Amino acid sequence: MILTYKILHNRDFATELHKAIKVAKYAISHKNCRTTKSVKHLGLKACISNQILKKYGGNKKIKNIHSVKLTINGYFVKVNQEKREINIPSLKLKLNYLFPNNFIKLNQIEIDNKYCYISVKIKDNEQIIYNNSIGVDRNTTGHCAVIAIPHTGKVIKLGKKAFHIHRKYKKIRTMLQKANAKKMLKKIRKRESNIIKDINHKISRKIVNIALENKCNIKLEDLSGIRNSKGGKNTKKGKSGESFKSSINTWEFYQLQTLIEYKAKICGIKVIYIDPKYTSQKCSKCGRIGNRNGKKFVCTNNNCKHVDHADSNAAFNIAALELKDNKESNGQLLIERDINKGSTETPQLGTQLIRKVA
Ligand SMILES: [Zn+2]
């Protein structure tokens, strides 16, 4: 598994970053001539321009470039794990790191005007596949996630706070929008997303801990259709009938998923994706389609008559469902696939860990 940590570099790389943009622009406009020699005149170190040429040269989608990170292959970086020191001779940059020292290789470093993004390879924990699974319902009324543990019958609801945060910040945002206070609005948005990120970190940790304690896999709904459908047919309707998109931000959802995946992977817990069809309409006891009214689920089967909180019922359904064909977690994150597609909705994760690729 590859993890990326970000650390402050406290250096001014404005000149180099400016050169990097030039190299990237060259790479895009010169399809057939992209050697380091051809951009030598731009003045960036060959080992860095080489990486930028590689990254931007093959990418036909990129048309406009506003910021380009300085990219250094791990081969050109000296690491002293004993002293926790990273040395990039080409930039005369020495860094001390605090992130876990359990990596086996430093793959790459990317640098922007403030941070170094250090990608390291860590040894994968052996993944255990348990007989039991916990079900996590993420599209819930009032909580970020509702967890069902079928073999104990227990239900755990997490992330109630997020909804209060959204309500509070929505009011502030509306006010600022009316006042046309753009700068403040941006600041407030950032603050809100930081709070949500923190909540997602805590929820994901808790979910993985629950799986560990109960010796369970984690089952999630494969909601990749939601993002692409933009309120179309595939959009899972919220319990009150409004579409998913309007009730919670998509990025938050995927952020939580990414965090669950990476934390589970580190602990050797398997994440399984299931088809979200009918998870909120079906009775978790008998499987029949029942009535859902707001937060209440009532089974219409006279032999069953199961009554439950709608979210708990959905979470038990998720836990019981078999995995969706070919959609099980194969280590490559759904979010990562979106990055490849060039999506701009990608969340920035964590303070130390920002993303993971398989
Ligand atoms: Zn029933």
Side-chain angles (χ1 to χ4, degrees):
M1 175 161 63
I2 290 165
L3 295 177
T4 304
Y5 298 100
K6 76 173 183 185
I7 51 179
L8 279 165
H9 56 59
N10 297 318
R11 271 269 296 272
D12 181 12
F13 284 119
T15 320
E16 285 83 0
L17 287 163
H18 189 66
K19 286 175 188 169
I21 292 177
K22 282 187 179 168
V23 173
K25 281 185 176 165
Y26 183 94
I28 289 166
S29 55
H30 294 73
K31 284 194 178 101
N32 302 317
C33 181
R34 290 195 304 255
T35 58
T36 20
K37 216 175 168 183
S38 58
V39 290
K40 204 181 164 192
H41 64 282
L42 298 172
L44 197 63
K45 291 272 179 190
C47 66
I48 300 171
S49 53
N50 188 26
Q51 293 296 310
I52 296 170
L53 288 171
K54 257 194 219 164
K55 187 177 175 183
Y56 290 89
N59 203 331
K60 287 170 191 159
K61 279 182 190 165
I62 304 171
K63 295 253 154 64
N64 269 316
I65 298 169
H66 306 292
S67 72
V68 174
K69 291 190 186 92
L70 304 170
T71 312
I72 303 108
N73 189 308
Y75 183 77
F76 298 102
V77 178
K78 287 175 187 159
V79 185
N80 187 333
Q81 278 181 286
E82 233 168 72
K83 289 183 180 166
R84 290 179 159 272
E85 231 176 53
I86 292 169
N87 185 4
I88 311 169
S90 54
L91 292 170
K92 294 190 175 71
L93 180 67
K94 263 190 190 168
L95 299 159
N96 290 305
Y97 61 91
L98 292 168
F99 57 77
N101 220 350
N102 61 349
F103 59 93
I104 42 178
K105 194 188 155 195
L106 191 149
N107 276 17
Q108 178 187 283
I109 297 180
E110 286 185 305
I111 296 169
D112 64 14
N113 55 2
K114 207 168 173 188
Y115 295 104
C116 289
Y117 303 83
I118 301 158
S119 300
V120 293
K121 190 174 174 151
I122 60 167
K123 202 168 166 253
D124 281 342
N125 243 335
E126 203 179 321
Q127 209 170 47
I128 305 160
I129 301 171
Y130 293 108
N131 290 328
N132 296 318
S133 296
I134 55 167
V136 180
D137 184 27
R138 289 172 292 159
N139 184 23
T140 69
T141 48
H143 292 85
C144 292
V146 172
I147 297 105
I149 315 165
H151 68 279
T152 62
K154 216 173 156 186
V155 174
I156 298 161
K157 294 174 181 176
L158 300 171
K160 197 175 181 179
K161 206 175 147 195
F163 285 80
H164 297 299
I165 299 286
H166 281 310
R167 202 175 301 154
K168 179 183 154 190
Y169 276 86
K170 200 181 170 185
K171 268 187 202 162
I172 302 172
R173 274 189 277 121
T174 315
M175 243 164 56
L176 292 171
Q177 261 155 358
K178 274 183 193 159
N180 205 17
K182 281 182 187 155
K183 228 176 180 177
M184 196 63 197
L185 196 63
K186 201 177 162 188
K187 210 172 153 188
I188 286 291
R189 279 214 177 96
K190 192 156 188 206
R191 191 182 300 163
E192 183 183 6
S193 74
N194 277 338
I195 297 171
I196 297 296
K197 185 166 48 178
D198 189 53
I199 292 172
N200 274 342
H201 261 290
K202 283 176 184 148
I203 295 171
S204 54
R205 164 89 348 239
K206 187 91 212 251
I207 290 170
V208 173
N209 283 348
I210 293 167
L212 275 171
E213 282 160 21
N214 290 280
K215 294 193 165 51
C216 282
N217 314 307
I218 297 171
K219 277 189 186 167
L220 299 172
E221 290 172 294
D222 175 13
L223 299 168
S224 45
I226 285 176
R227 165 171 268 184
N228 299 326
S229 72
K230 292 244 155 91
K233 256 195 284 184
N234 298 329
T235 307
K236 187 183 172 187
K237 294 281 179 189
K239 266 117 217 195
S240 50
E242 87 272 33
S243 82
F244 161 78
K245 234 184 139 61
S246 65
S247 58
I248 191 169
N249 289 321
T250 323
W251 67 261
E252 288 172 39
F253 219 77
Y254 280 85
Q255 184 180 63
L256 180 61
Q257 180 170 319
T258 313
L259 291 170
I260 293 171
E261 278 222 29
Y262 109 77
K263 283 172 187 172
K265 197 163 184 181
I266 288 172
C267 300
I269 295 276
K270 194 171 174 62
V271 177
I272 299 166
Y273 286 94
I274 56 99
D275 192 334
K277 222 175 182 179
Y278 307 123
T279 45
S280 43
Q281 287 101 37
K282 239 172 36 180
C283 169
S284 60
K285 289 262 154 82
C286 72
R288 201 84 70 88
I289 301 287
N291 279 335
R292 216 189 54 203
N293 197 351
K295 292 183 179 184
K296 200 174 171 190
F297 176 88
V298 182
C299 180
T300 46
N301 179 356
N302 282 333
N303 298 321
C304 173
K305 289 179 179 169
H306 175 57
V307 178
D308 201 346
H309 189 288
D311 297 335
S312 311
N313 181 64
F316 278 114
N317 276 330
I318 292 165
L321 269 163
E322 290 305 312
L323 68 140
K324 201 178 167 183
D325 289 343
N326 303 324
K327 281 282 187 182
E328 66 170 306
S329 163
N330 57 4
Q332 192 192 8
L333 291 181
L334 294 166
I335 207 115
E336 210 53 41
R337 285 198 279 271
D338 285 327
I339 287 172
N340 294 338
K341 276 187 214 159
S343 167
T344 51
E345 285 178 84
T346 311
Q348 282 280 305
L349 300 182
T351 43
Q352 271 272 298
L353 183 129
I354 58 136
R355 71 168 187 257
K356 164 198 148 202
V357 288

